[in-house]
Amino acid sequence: MANTDIDKLVAEMTAWRHDLHAHPEFGFEEKRTAAFVAAKLREFGLDEVAEGIGGTGVIGTLRHGTGNRAIALRADMDALRIAEQGTIAYCSTRPGTMHACGHDGHTAMLLGAAKLLTEEGGFDGTVRFVFQPAEEWGKGALAMLADGMLERFPFDEIYGLHNMPGLPVGKFETRAGAIMSAEDNFEVTLKGVGGHAARPHAGNETLVAACATVVNLQTIVSRRLSPADIAVVSVTELITDGTRNALPGLARILGDARSFRPEVSARIEQQMRTIAKGTADAYGCEVEVTYTREFVPLLNDPALVDHAFAAAGAVFGTDNVAVAAEPMTGSEDFARFLAHVPGCFVFIGNGQESAPLHNPHYDFNDDALIFGARFHAEIVRQRLAAPDVGQ
């Protein structure tokens, strides 16, 4: 089979990435993105290209040789509702939406891997290229699974990656076991009696009770969980129906909690309900707590982590491959796939000067594209080793 012109591939991936960046789409709205991906996969000559999986997902299938094992490679496609503030030539053309997490780069890298493997082969078995919608709000993987993904496109193991600002381009990290956290969302609603700001005694306003609740929730991690357990409880919004001279009768406290074990998540919820009720009772308010689990912890399979390190060593060089120092308290719905098949999620460098993820000035670093594409291809070639790599 032919050898791919790497310089040409890098130029193509860069052009694809810039096009996707200029046309971002929110979760389950990725119709243009999905059509772009499907068209490229058909252009490369994949055996099958299925669209509309889980709404707007795309799965391409490439077979080579006679092997009966299958590997899945996954990229996320969705953007965020953030107004881009950069000045790049390919800036978002859709006000209020941008690729602030690098999913444009993830998609371009997986397309690059598909082209590499289609042109060069070097493996024996089946590759599933999974382009997933709606990762950012944790629904895309579940939608694909509910649409019969595993029954229609079975595979034995799955790999995914994410760019990492602050990590130099050409560097690679992952770890066995917990690598990204669960995310739980909560809303605490306090109800009382609002009134005139000059006569607080005549009602039973909720703002002071809400402020006390916010402070008390901070004791969950510091006083109710073991120091050995990593957890975060963050209040992100406090909303009332008050105004400048009117005390509120309703207050809503919203936020999220992160953890790595179901037992810790359950403990956080239990303590939150206890604290909210106790604080509300102390201030004479009614209270309601809504607690939902949006993301599950991402737990890498230890054996597949070893294989990922081996593939990364061949692509990045062993000196540029490292065990991640600690789990991240960010969340990833790639974890949903790992409840069904073993897998491994990894990080590749986006550069030390990169803006943070979810920042209006963020941009994926095009220099990282070839590393991601080659890693995807290498893990396939090592895990689906061909009897004759040149066939």
Side-chain angles (χ1 to χ4, degrees):
M1 301 187 78
N3 290 324
T4 300
D5 183 331
I6 296 300
D7 290 338
K8 180 181 177 183
L9 179 63
V10 169
E12 288 177 322
M13 286 193 293
T14 301
W16 302 335
R17 210 277 295 178
H18 291 185
D19 182 273
L20 294 169
H21 189 94
H23 302 93
E25 295 172 301
F26 193 64
F28 294 128
E29 299 174 3
E30 309 97 335
K31 293 182 180 179
R32 182 189 185 277
T33 304
F36 181 97
V37 166
K40 290 299 177 186
L41 295 177
R42 292 189 176 101
E43 178 186 315
F44 302 157
L46 268 70
D47 297 288
E48 298 173 16
V49 179
E51 299 178 69
I53 311 302
T56 47
V58 179
I59 297 180
T61 298
L62 179 63
R63 299 183 181 89
H64 193 256
T66 59
N68 58 10
R69 296 188 68 250
I71 299 290
L73 306 173
R74 175 271 205 174
D76 37 19
M77 301 188 293
D78 57 321
L80 287 153
R81 296 209 189 283
I82 295 175
E84 187 162 11
Q85 296 179 19
T87 57
I88 52 179
Y90 47 88
C91 195
S92 172
T93 59
R94 297 182 174 171
T97 304
M98 72 169 287
H99 273 295
C101 202
H103 297 186
D104 51 342
H106 303 166
T107 299
M109 288 188 287
L110 190 53
L111 285 173
K115 185 169 187 180
L116 265 175
L117 290 167
T118 302
E119 291 182 348
E120 296 183 353
F123 66 96
D124 186 28
T126 299
V127 186
R128 311 286 191 190
F129 299 93
V130 178
F131 294 86
Q132 182 204 307
E135 185 281 327
E136 291 291 355
W137 48 304
K139 304 300 182 184
L142 286 173
M144 296 188 87
L145 290 166
D147 202 11
M149 169 184 172
L150 295 177
E151 295 76 22
R152 298 162 64 188
F153 313 97
F155 49 84
D156 299 293
E157 53 198 60
I158 186 168
Y159 297 85
L161 60 76
H162 205 292
N163 75 95
M164 181 55 61
L167 187 67
V169 172
K171 298 287 188 178
F172 173 102
E173 290 186 353
T174 191
R175 60 181 288 127
I179 188 169
M180 297 190 76
S181 74
E183 179 189 349
D184 304 340
N185 291 169
F186 62 83
E187 180 173 345
V188 179
T189 302
L190 292 157
K191 297 178 182 179
V193 179
H196 199 291
R199 293 175 55 79
H201 62 286
N204 190 29
E205 60 89 12
T206 55
L207 185 55
V208 173
C211 292
T213 301
V214 170
V215 171
N216 291 340
L217 291 178
Q218 306 313 304
T219 65
I220 295 175
V221 174
S222 65
R223 291 295 180 268
R224 295 294 177 262
L225 298 180
S226 166
D229 284 314
I230 300 172
V232 179
V233 174
S234 293
V235 171
T236 57
E237 298 176 80
L238 174 53
I239 305 165
T240 78
D241 63 353
T243 188
R244 185 184 61 83
N245 62 352
L247 294 167
L250 178 71
R252 296 169 58 222
I253 301 164
L254 296 91
D256 79 12
R258 310 287 174 131
S259 60
F260 291 90
R261 296 193 299 121
E263 306 94 304
V264 175
S265 172
R267 177 71 167 162
I268 291 172
E269 179 183 3
Q270 182 264 321
Q271 286 297 311
M272 184 172 294
R273 293 184 182 279
T274 299
I275 288 169
K277 184 179 185 307
T279 307
D281 287 347
Y283 286 88
C285 297
E286 298 178 12
V287 66
E288 179 181 331
V289 178
T290 302
Y291 197 96
T292 61
R293 291 174 173 82
E294 306 298 324
F295 291 82
V296 297
L298 201 167
L299 307 176
N300 277 341
D301 182 272
L304 298 194
V305 168
D306 290 341
H307 294 305
F309 277 130
V315 173
F316 294 80
T318 55
D319 291 343
N320 295 313
V321 173
V323 176
E326 58 186 20
M328 289 181 58
T329 48
S331 301
E332 239 291 347
D333 83 340
F334 179 85
R336 296 291 185 180
F337 297 125
L338 305 191
H340 303 273
V341 293
C344 178
F345 196 73
V346 309
F347 298 109
I348 67 170
N350 198 58
Q352 292 174 296
E353 304 303 317
S354 172
L357 300 173
H358 295 204
N359 181 284
H361 294 281
Y362 169 86
D363 188 28
F364 184 89
N365 192 326
D366 291 325
D367 290 340
L369 289 168
I370 191 60
F371 289 100
R374 279 178 158 162
F375 171 74
H376 280 312
E378 184 64 23
I379 196 71
V380 167
R381 288 168 176 158
Q382 290 195 15
R383 296 299 292 145
L384 300 177
D388 178 7
V389 176
Q391 68 177 337

